[in-house]
Amino acid sequence: MSATTAQSCPECDGRLRADDCETVCAECGLVVAEHNIDPGPEWRSFSEDEGTPERTGAPLTRSRHDRGLSTEIGRSTRVKGRKRRQLARLRTQHKRTVIGSKAERNQVYGFTEIRRVVSALDLPEHVQERACVLFESAQDADLLQGRSIEGFAAAAIYATCRVSEVSRTLAELTAVARADRAELDAAYDAMNRELGLPTGPIDPAEYLPRFASKLDVPRAVERRAADLAERAREAGLDNGRNPCGVAAACLYTASQETGGDLTQAAAAEVADVTPVTLRRTYVELSSD
């Protein structure tokens, strides 16, 4: 009789005790079998983990109206004839029942627009998640009635970028969104008024890395521009001014101080401002 199939200890005929990975005699301690197949999970759970990881299904996400828990009737080339037509009819009925109300339909459309704009602007995933949560909060507060869904989707992304200190201008957002500037402003004002968005003045320094990369200026110019942006903020030069214009003026001033060849027109074009707007801040930075 093999050790793996024995019901008693081969040495002392004692009672066997099976653990997770080995079989041991309870009387003499002889290891009868080891390295048995462990039917438990592949992962290990540590005490500091918040929860137990799961190996089944996609992770939960706030960027979908059902949190990613919905099921779908798949397709297969192995199914033919009447069974295939039946599955097609069931698939159509299933898609119709996924969305049960007009509010869910608006939420699906809004979340789809948020995912599209976030992908077009190459924004991080956490911005997408938070923007969808903000859109859902605006919908729960009945702010979407009589207003553009696309405008609220774009406004949710813009507000999330401001809170998360991810620099994106309104011009960049409206260039890829299906809402115009007026719809975005109306939605943003409604959310800021009713939901109390924790947004403050935009720091011009947030735009410096992207503008410096687009203008291909040296690293020394970017560091000097960051010092100028901090000095302008402390002196209040950015109050009531376009932060993009202030950032472009800081880059142009730093380039002039270090002997660079950056022009006002090039800096203003990257920041989407006029050279006159840039020149006003430049004059004050130079005279300070």
Side-chain angles (χ1 to χ4, degrees):
M1 183 178 293
S2 64
T4 56
T5 59
Q7 301 298 321
S8 61
C9 178
E11 295 291 335
C12 65
D13 293 332
R15 182 174 54 87
L16 298 181
R17 182 182 70 251
D19 295 331
D20 292 337
C21 297
E22 60 185 11
T23 302
V24 184
C25 176
E27 303 297 335
C28 66
L30 176 67
V31 178
V32 179
E34 60 180 351
H35 302 301
N36 293 333
I37 297 177
D38 185 6
E42 300 177 11
W43 38 261
R44 292 186 301 168
S45 181
F46 299 94
S47 58
E48 62 268 17
D49 291 345
E50 295 181 358
T52 302
E54 296 293 342
R55 291 281 184 171
T56 58
L60 297 179
T61 174
R62 296 300 300 270
S63 61
R64 298 187 180 275
H65 76 288
D66 54 4
R67 305 295 187 269
L69 292 175
S70 62
T71 57
E72 296 182 0
I73 301 177
R75 302 174 182 271
S76 176
T77 57
R78 301 174 62 181
V79 180
K80 303 295 182 179
R82 181 181 302 176
K83 189 65 174 180
R84 187 172 185 176
R85 292 192 295 270
Q86 180 184 8
L87 289 177
R89 291 193 299 270
L90 291 175
R91 191 181 299 111
T92 301
Q93 294 298 326
H94 177 72
K95 289 182 178 179
R96 292 174 180 174
T97 58
V98 168
I99 302 175
S101 63
K102 184 178 180 180
E104 289 187 1
R105 186 180 300 107
N106 293 339
Q107 192 175 94
V108 170
Y109 182 75
F111 285 2
T112 303
E113 175 69 4
I114 289 175
R115 292 196 300 270
R116 186 189 66 81
V117 174
V118 166
S119 177
L121 294 177
D122 197 19
L123 294 172
E125 184 177 355
H126 69 86
V127 172
Q128 173 179 299
E129 297 286 329
R130 295 178 183 178
C132 290
V133 173
L134 182 57
F135 181 91
E136 187 176 359
S137 300
Q139 187 180 31
D140 293 340
D142 294 332
L143 301 182
L144 271 65
Q145 294 184 1
R147 296 188 176 96
S148 169
I149 297 178
E150 296 88 345
F152 270 91
I157 297 174
Y158 178 68
T160 305
C161 288
R162 290 192 58 176
V163 174
S164 304
E165 297 183 354
V166 179
S167 58
R168 289 297 185 273
T169 63
L170 287 171
E172 291 175 319
L173 192 57
T174 54
V176 297
R178 293 193 176 99
D180 54 24
R181 178 64 180 273
E183 293 173 336
L184 192 154
D185 289 341
Y188 181 81
D189 291 342
M191 288 193 297
N192 194 23
R193 181 176 59 254
E194 300 296 334
L195 301 180
L197 300 177
T199 56
I202 302 176
D203 189 355
E206 296 179 10
Y207 296 100
L208 289 178
R210 288 198 308 117
F211 290 173
S213 177
K214 291 182 178 180
L215 294 171
D216 196 19
V217 298
R219 180 62 179 170
V221 173
E222 183 180 349
R223 288 196 298 266
R224 177 55 182 164
D227 296 336
L228 291 173
E230 183 178 359
R231 191 176 73 184
R233 193 169 182 83
E234 292 176 352
L237 299 181
D238 60 339
N239 291 339
R241 296 186 179 181
N242 189 339
C244 297
V246 176
C250 292
L251 285 172
Y252 176 73
T253 306
S255 178
Q256 294 298 307
E257 292 179 355
T258 57
D261 56 354
L262 180 63
T263 62
Q264 292 185 6
E269 182 180 0
V270 168
D272 196 25
V273 296
T274 62
V276 176
T277 301
L278 184 149
R279 196 175 302 119
R280 292 173 183 172
T281 306
Y282 165 69
V283 171
E284 296 188 11
L285 286 174
S286 301
S287 60
D288 190 5

